Amino acid sequence: MHGVLQYILLTTLSVELIVGNLGNAFIVLVNIMDWVKKKKISFIDQIFTALAISRICLLLSLIESFFISELYPPLIITRGIVRQISMFWTVTNHFSIWLATCLSIFYFLKIAIFSSSIFLHLKWRVKSTVSATLLTSLLFLFLNILVINTHVGTLVDGIEAKAFSSAILSNSTQFSRNVLLTNTIFTLIPFTVTLTMFLLLIFSLWRHLKSMQHSIKGSRDVSSTAHVKALQMVVTFLLLYAIFCLSLLLEFCSFEFHQKNAIAIFFCATGIAFPSGHSYVMILGNSKLRRTFLSMVWWLRYRLSEVEPSGS
């Protein structure tokens, strides 16, 4: 029974990785083709493209770390391999999360309505504000890498000093716990920023609807529609983000309480729902990507309908 469960979880994990990479690759391909065609690319498309590329790299880093941990025993893992795996995951995860956070800030500044001079200053300089946020996040990335490097050194020094495989596995488990805890802590920072943008968008929508009470009942103005669409994007991102953070915490607990491998795979599959699923949220939430995606789906259905009669 345990073997069947593990097989199902591994299959789910593989499907998530494939589907996620296809969705992110679609975003990159559409935006690059549009860029080549029009000789220019909008700022929002730049964020979408960079975010999709970071998600592809993140999913590849997860595939790499999973197969190395499954196929190679900890005995032959060197300092360079451990550092490379840890850094690749940390950097790709950082940009995956912070670029999505920048997307939330962009929607907030473009759509929200406030009379504060600080808000208006940021709204008029939305591109500079988002760029500055991403640059500031590099400080957190630098600190995160420093902490991870310390854990890598401690792990490898401990392995080199011990000869028994049980001691090596103990060091590897401790290292995985430390890395998960560190990345979870740094992940909560952009989560807090995104949650703040979400709450401010709700407040902005409430104030706007209140000011529109004396207008024609039943009418829906452009600003309200934009607010709702932005809230849908941000709340979906927050839900997937919360699941991702929860999966990191549960995976940390699975190391703490020495849970079986199937449980660890389940938490990993749950976490991958964030970078895989959010790509399709972005596709459906963007008019250009949605139109292209639906056109591609209808084209595939048409091609398949032509093939089926000849094959029967």
Side-chain angles (χ1 to χ4, degrees):
M1 183 65 183
H2 182 267
V4 174
L5 178 61
Q6 189 168 331
Y7 175 77
I8 293 172
L9 290 172
L10 284 171
T11 303
T12 304
L13 187 64
S14 301
V15 170
E16 282 185 331
L17 290 168
I18 294 170
V19 171
N21 272 324
L22 287 174
N24 288 301
F26 173 82
I27 294 173
V28 174
L29 185 62
V30 170
N31 283 332
I32 288 179
M33 288 176 64
D34 191 56
W35 184 14
V36 171
K37 181 181 178 181
K38 297 180 179 178
K39 307 298 182 184
K40 62 179 181 179
I41 183 170
S42 65
F43 185 60
I44 187 67
D45 284 342
Q46 291 177 35
I47 299 176
F48 268 61
T49 305
L51 179 54
I53 292 172
S54 71
R55 293 277 169 77
I56 293 172
C57 294
L58 175 60
L59 292 171
L60 290 177
S61 74
L62 291 170
I63 294 171
E64 178 196 35
S65 59
F66 181 78
F67 278 104
I68 287 179
S69 63
E70 289 293 318
L71 299 177
Y72 296 96
L75 185 63
I76 63 171
I77 293 181
T78 63
R79 185 187 299 268
I81 292 176
V82 175
R83 180 172 284 112
Q84 186 265 326
I85 294 173
S86 303
M87 292 304 104
F88 191 23
W89 189 88
T90 300
V91 171
T92 55
N93 181 60
H94 172 89
F95 284 107
S96 168
I97 290 173
W98 274 101
L99 282 166
T101 302
C102 288
L103 193 62
S104 301
I105 295 172
F106 178 88
Y107 285 134
F108 167 69
L109 293 176
K110 279 290 187 179
I111 294 169
I113 302 172
F114 291 103
S115 57
S116 167
S117 58
I118 297 175
F119 173 80
L120 293 175
H121 176 80
L122 296 175
K123 188 180 182 72
W124 292 332
R125 296 164 177 80
V126 59
K127 186 174 181 178
S128 300
T129 303
V130 173
S131 301
T133 302
L134 189 59
L135 287 173
T136 304
S137 76
L138 296 179
L139 174 61
F140 297 112
L141 176 61
F142 176 72
L143 294 174
N144 198 352
I145 288 174
L146 281 181
V147 176
I148 297 295
N149 267 330
T150 303
H151 292 320
V152 171
T154 304
L155 167 71
V156 178
D157 291 340
I159 289 178
E160 290 174 350
K162 297 173 182 178
F164 298 103
S165 59
S166 59
I168 293 171
L169 289 172
S170 176
N171 277 60
S172 300
T173 301
Q174 182 64 32
F175 170 73
S176 299
R177 289 175 61 245
N178 291 337
V179 170
L180 279 171
L181 182 61
T182 301
N183 282 293
T184 301
I185 293 171
F186 280 98
T187 294
L188 292 175
I189 299 170
F191 179 81
T192 305
V193 175
T194 304
L195 182 60
T196 303
M197 296 300 102
F198 171 69
L199 295 175
L200 287 173
L201 268 171
I202 289 180
F203 182 62
S204 173
L205 177 61
W206 174 77
R207 287 185 57 183
H208 177 71
L209 292 176
K210 191 176 179 181
S211 67
M212 294 290 292
Q213 282 181 349
H214 301 293
S215 62
I216 301 173
K217 293 186 181 293
S219 65
R220 197 174 204 184
D221 61 302
V222 176
S223 180
S224 298
T225 304
H227 269 83
V228 172
K229 287 184 178 180
L231 283 170
Q232 288 173 346
M233 290 282 288
V234 176
V235 75
T236 309
F237 167 60
L238 274 172
L239 286 173
L240 290 170
Y241 201 170
I243 293 171
F244 177 71
C245 292
L246 183 62
S247 71
L248 288 179
L249 287 171
L250 291 175
E251 198 168 349
F252 172 80
C253 293
S254 73
F255 283 113
E256 181 72 26
F257 297 106
H258 308 290
Q259 296 293 329
K260 293 181 180 180
N261 193 38
I263 303 296
I265 296 173
F266 172 75
F267 294 147
C268 184
T270 304
I272 289 176
F274 170 56
S276 298
H278 191 238
S279 60
Y280 293 93
V281 174
M282 293 192 297
I283 290 171
L284 295 176
N286 182 273
S287 57
K288 179 183 71 176
L289 293 173
R290 184 173 63 250
R291 286 196 304 268
T292 308
F293 182 76
L294 292 175
S295 298
M296 184 187 71
V297 171
W298 281 108
W299 180 82
L300 287 173
R301 287 186 62 180
Y302 174 74
R303 296 298 297 176
L304 289 173
S305 64
E306 284 189 330
V307 171
E308 281 177 2
S310 60
S312 59

